[in-house]
């Protein structure tokens, strides 16, 4: 995302005042959702987690990434809302209504209403991760599962799916944003119609962290800055959170579904990163998630959606020591495995934890796992040239290395040049897999593509 900062002078004072007001209100306990992942070998048991959240925090909803019956059962009687996720690989089969009815009978009905199941998510980031069979069956599976829930007397449980923001063709300026053409008409329009008909939210995973670059730190961290002006609407954005949500809203409006509610399935900030990334600190993670929780509860909305509340799930509940990828991936947690807070964003009950002051984590040192982004073998030269054009003009990447005389000019081929700039973009934006999507022409590899004097970042 390209972010240009302008300097309207009077807004600085207003922003400072509003920031002070936000800080003033943050000590009040806030209800918010959280993603409960289990990729760790040192995590507490599900019953411990459920009782901890119920008795010692104000977290009132959790989202899990599977259908783990032990976790679902553990939340019975707690009053905490639970959302569950159908594995991506099960989606094609569940497009069949009979299979969906059997699935609901086996995986949902036995636990409800003892456990307050809220959403069934049909897959996770399917448009990004899934093959064509999963993508084409996504909306039919959502319809089949919804019909099965209604038929079983479980209509209160809504059906949705979570999307990465890789579904956007562009996000800046937000009013000009639109969904990628490959999915807009055939997948997203029918899906949004389903959401309207069933009164379920369109769920997205907006991560300001993955929009970070050294020149926009204040903007992504809700700190005072001059703001970014949308030249089409005249609206000024003082944080990337509002910008990304309005980009999603504008994309929905262009398909005629601006009335459908938006929920935030994942959003968070790591408290530790690979060496050299100073942006990942306990204080930055606390401040980011503090603002997200406040935005969720306040009803202030965004410039294009004033007065709206957004159901929000912070990522994540725990630091998970077995997550693959960068060190950041293992340090998104609000809590350590021993249930002590990495920091508090106003969700700790005062009786147990006093002022809830932030604490300093003591994570074990980890070795960084190096990965690179390269073109897929089947990607055409035309597609790869389009990637080069976009990264070098809109991606905020210095492309001089692939120009004549640069250390990565040779071999002088589209594929070689594309590999260098696609990887540079992937590394600069946080090494999240969707930053290597490039309209399904990129892939992450553990093999270093460096050659001769041309060194690829990692």
């Amino acid at each position: 995302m390209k972010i240009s900062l302008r300097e309207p002078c009077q807004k600085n004072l207003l922003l400072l005042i509003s920031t002070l007001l936000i800080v003033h209100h943050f000590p009040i306990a806030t209800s918010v959702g959280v993603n409960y992942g289990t990729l760790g070998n040192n995590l507490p048991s599900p019953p411990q987690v459920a009782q901890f959240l119920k008795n010692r925090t104000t977290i009132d909803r959790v989202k899990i990434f599977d259908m783990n019956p032990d976790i679902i059962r553990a939340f019975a009687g707690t009053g905490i809302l639970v959302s569950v996720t159908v594995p991506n690989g099960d989606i094609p089969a569940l497009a069949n209504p009979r299979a969906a009815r059997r699935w609901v009978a086996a995986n949902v009905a036995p636990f409800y209403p003892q456990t307050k199941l809220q959403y069934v998510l049909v897959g996770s980031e399917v448009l990004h991760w899934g093959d064509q069979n999963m993508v084409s069956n996504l909306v039919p599976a959502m319809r089949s599962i919804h019909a099965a829930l209604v038929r079983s007397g479980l209509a209160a449980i809504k059906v949705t799916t979570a999307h990465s923001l890789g579904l956007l063709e562009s996000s800046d300026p937000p009013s000009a944003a639109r969904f990628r053409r490959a999915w807009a008409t055939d997948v997203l329009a029918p899906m949004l119609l389903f959401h309207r008909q069933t009164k379920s939210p369109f769920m997205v995973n907006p991560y300001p962290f993955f929009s970070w670059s050294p020149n926009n730190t204040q903007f992504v961290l809700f700190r005072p800055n001059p703001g970014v002006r949308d030249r089409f609407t005249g609206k000024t954005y003082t944080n990337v959170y509002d910008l990304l949500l309005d980009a999603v809203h504008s994309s929905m409006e262009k398909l005629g579904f601006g009335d459908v509610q938006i929920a935030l399935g994942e959003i968070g900030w790591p408290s530790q990163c690979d060496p050299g990334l100073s942006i990942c600190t306990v204080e930055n993670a606390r401040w980011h998630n503090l603002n997200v929780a406040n935005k969720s509860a306040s009803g202030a909305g965004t410039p294009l959606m004033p007065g709206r509340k957004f159901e929000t799930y912070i990522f994540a509940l725990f630091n998970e020591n077995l997550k693959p990828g960068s060190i950041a991936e293992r340090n998104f947690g609000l809590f350590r495995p021993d249930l002590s807070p990495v920091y508090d964003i106003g969700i700790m009950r005062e009786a147990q934890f006093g002022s809830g002051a932030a604490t300093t984590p003591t994570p074990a040192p980890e070795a960084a796992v190096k990965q690179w982004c390269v073109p897929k073998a089947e990607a055409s030269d035309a597609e790869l040239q389009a990637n080069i054009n976009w990264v070098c003009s809109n991606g905020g990447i210095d492309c001089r290395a692939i120009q004549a005389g640069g250390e990565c000019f040779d071999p002088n081929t589209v594929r070689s040049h594309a590999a260098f700039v696609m990887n540079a973009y992937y590394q600069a934006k946080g090494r999240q897999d969707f930053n290597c999507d490039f309209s399904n022409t990129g892939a992450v590899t553990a093999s270093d593509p460096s050659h001769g004097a041309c060194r690829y970042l990692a």
Side-chain angles (χ1 to χ4, degrees), residues 300-313:
T302 68
L304 293 183
M305 296 180 284
R308 275 211 201 182
K309 284 189 175 183
F310 303 102
E311 184 175 4
T312 298
Y313 293 83

Side-chain angles (χ1 to χ4, degrees), residues 2-222:
K2 184 180 179 183
I3 296 175
S4 59
L5 298 180
R6 311 189 191 281
E7 300 191 20
C9 164
Q10 295 132 306
K11 292 196 171 82
N12 286 339
L13 179 58
L14 291 174
L15 183 59
L16 179 59
I17 292 171
S18 64
T19 301
L20 291 172
L21 288 172
I22 289 172
V23 173
H24 175 73
H25 288 293
F26 269 140
I28 300 171
T30 301
S31 293
V32 70
V34 69
N35 286 275
Y36 175 10
T38 56
L39 293 178
N41 60 10
N42 56 357
L43 299 178
S45 68
Q48 286 178 292
V49 172
Q51 290 308 307
F52 171 75
L53 295 182
K54 175 186 176 184
N55 297 327
R56 300 168 72 177
T57 80
T58 59
I59 291 170
D60 62 356
R61 62 201 66 211
V62 299
K63 180 162 73 70
I64 63 175
F65 296 98
D66 51 24
M67 298 296 305
N68 187 322
D70 294 330
I71 294 178
I72 300 171
R73 195 178 296 113
F75 281 90
T78 63
I80 294 173
L81 299 172
V82 177
S83 294
V84 295
T85 304
V86 175
N88 287 6
D90 291 354
I91 289 171
L94 291 175
N96 179 290
R98 184 173 296 177
R101 290 196 292 272
R102 289 197 298 266
W103 185 89
V104 166
N107 293 282
V108 179
F111 303 104
Y112 186 87
Q114 293 86 356
T115 298
K116 295 179 67 175
L117 293 168
Q118 183 184 21
Y119 297 125
V120 172
L121 279 77
V122 182
S124 179
E125 299 188 345
V126 177
L127 300 187
H128 170 70
W129 294 104
D131 59 26
Q132 188 53 47
N133 193 30
M134 295 177 196
V135 172
S136 60
N137 281 289
L138 176 57
V139 176
M142 293 171 72
R143 290 192 182 120
S144 293
I145 292 173
H146 169 73
L149 289 167
V150 171
R151 180 169 173 159
S152 301
L154 306 173
I157 303 171
K158 302 296 184 182
V159 175
T160 186
T161 187
H163 305 277
S164 83
L165 291 197
L167 55 69
L168 296 179
E169 197 166 86
S170 63
S171 60
D172 184 21
S175 64
R178 62 181 64 248
F179 293 126
R180 293 184 185 273
R181 279 172 247 180
W183 301 320
T185 303
D186 294 339
V187 179
L188 292 170
M191 182 183 295
L192 288 164
L193 177 62
F194 168 82
H195 286 308
R196 176 186 284 164
Q197 291 169 337
T198 62
K199 296 180 172 56
S200 56
F202 184 69
M203 188 172 283
V204 295
N205 298 340
Y207 278 94
F209 175 69
F210 296 118
S211 297
W212 173 80
S213 68
N215 66 349
N216 70 1
T217 299
Q218 304 297 91
F219 189 67
V220 298
L221 276 173
F222 298 90

Side-chain angles (χ1 to χ4, degrees), residues 209 270-281 326-328 331 431:
F209 175 69
S271 58
Q272 187 187 12
C273 285
D274 291 335
L277 278 178
S278 60
I279 194 69
C280 301
T281 66
S326 66
I327 288 175
N331 287 280
R431 296 187 296 279

Side-chain angles (χ1 to χ4, degrees), residues 174-397:
S175 64
R178 62 181 64 248
F179 293 126
R180 293 184 185 273
R181 279 172 247 180
W183 301 320
T185 303
D186 294 339
V187 179
L188 292 170
M191 182 183 295
L192 288 164
L193 177 62
F194 168 82
H195 286 308
R196 176 186 284 164
Q197 291 169 337
T198 62
K199 296 180 172 56
S200 56
F202 184 69
M203 188 172 283
V204 295
N205 298 340
Y207 278 94
F209 175 69
F210 296 118
S211 297
W212 173 80
S213 68
N215 66 349
N216 70 1
T217 299
Q218 304 297 91
F219 189 67
V220 298
L221 276 173
F222 298 90
R223 300 193 188 279
N225 65 88
V228 177
R229 185 175 181 273
D230 186 323
R231 63 185 181 277
F232 297 112
T233 63
K235 304 287 187 183
T236 296
Y237 291 83
T238 57
N239 59 80
V240 77
Y241 170 101
D242 285 347
L243 186 149
L244 292 175
L245 289 188
D246 275 356
V248 173
H249 173 69
S250 295
S251 302
M252 295 165 65
E253 264 196 333
K254 288 178 175 66
L255 295 180
F257 295 96
D259 58 305
V260 172
Q261 285 296 313
I262 297 172
L264 280 62
E266 296 176 32
I267 185 169
W269 195 279
S271 58
Q272 187 187 12
C273 285
D274 291 335
L277 278 178
S278 60
I279 194 69
C280 301
T281 66
V282 170
E283 177 52 28
N284 283 347
R286 184 191 72 85
W287 181 251
H288 172 273
N289 288 337
L290 203 57
N291 278 272
V292 167
N294 183 68
K295 292 280 282 185
S296 167
S298 70
T302 68
L304 293 183
M305 296 180 284
R308 275 211 201 182
K309 284 189 175 183
F310 303 102
E311 184 175 4
T312 298
Y313 293 83
I314 299 287
F315 187 87
L317 181 57
F318 295 114
N319 287 337
E320 299 169 59
N321 67 347
L322 296 184
K323 286 200 72 178
S326 66
I327 288 175
E329 289 291 337
R330 295 182 282 282
N331 287 280
F332 273 90
L334 297 172
F335 297 94
R336 303 181 189 89
D338 64 2
L339 298 176
S340 63
V342 177
Y343 50 84
D344 184 18
I345 57 170
I347 58 172
M348 305 307 299
R349 295 193 185 277
E350 292 291 321
Q352 284 82 11
F353 287 94
S355 64
T359 58
T360 303
T362 54
E366 299 186 54
V369 178
K370 291 187 177 182
Q371 293 178 312
W372 295 265
C373 176
V374 296
K376 288 184 175 178
E378 63 270 24
S380 69
D381 279 0
E383 290 172 317
L384 297 180
Q385 185 61 55
N387 293 348
I388 295 171
N389 295 344
W390 185 85
V391 170
C392 295
S393 61
N394 297 301
I397 300 301

